[in-house]
Structures are given as C-alpha cells and as structure tokens.
Amino acid sequence: RDSSVTGVQTCALPIWAWYEGITRDTVATAHGGVCRALMAHLGLARPEDASIGEIGQGVVYVFDGTSMARYE
C-alpha cells in the first residue's frame, strides 16, 4: 500500500475499508475501477499496472484475499 502512488491508491480508500469488512462470501457489482483497486490493494498487481489493466465488461472476478480468478 504505497501512498506515493495516487490514482488507484487515492480513490481506493473507501473500497479497502469495505473489502476488509467483508466476513462471508459476497457478490457485488461494481465499476472496473473497483476491480483495479482490489487488485492493487491485495498485491495482485502493482498499482501502476492495475490502473491500466484490462477489465472486461460483463466478466465475473472472484477475489479470495490472495488470488483473483476471472470468469467470462
């Protein structure tokens, strides 16, 4: 969580609080920026890479805290 990176980092603060508060399996719909922010927050991608990575429309992304799976 490098505070020197803005973009994904700054807009993601409320997302991190929400994600950290999840206590059971949860399905959520969100803008692609949320997926990018979670990728960076969980260390699945560097923030600068997550901010430009492809996020598919209509794709399901599953985060388990240590990995991400993509289902089309």
Side-chain angles (χ1 to χ4, degrees):
R1 300 177 186 156
D2 180 359
S3 61
S4 68
V5 178
T6 55
V8 169
Q9 195 76 18
T10 302
C11 72
L13 295 176
I15 296 164
W16 294 344
W18 167 78
Y19 182 81
E20 297 295 334
I22 294 174
T23 60
R24 62 177 189 247
D25 290 349
T26 301
V27 175
T29 59
H31 186 274
V34 173
C35 186
R36 290 183 180 94
L38 286 174
M39 290 169 61
H41 175 66
L42 297 172
L44 303 174
R46 296 181 318 162
E48 56 270 23
D49 295 334
S51 67
I52 60 171
E54 179 184 341
I55 303 298
Q57 185 170 355
V59 177
V60 175
Y61 293 88
V62 177
F63 294 90
D64 69 4
T66 59
S67 66
M68 177 186 79
R70 176 183 166 130
Y71 299 93
E72 295 187 44

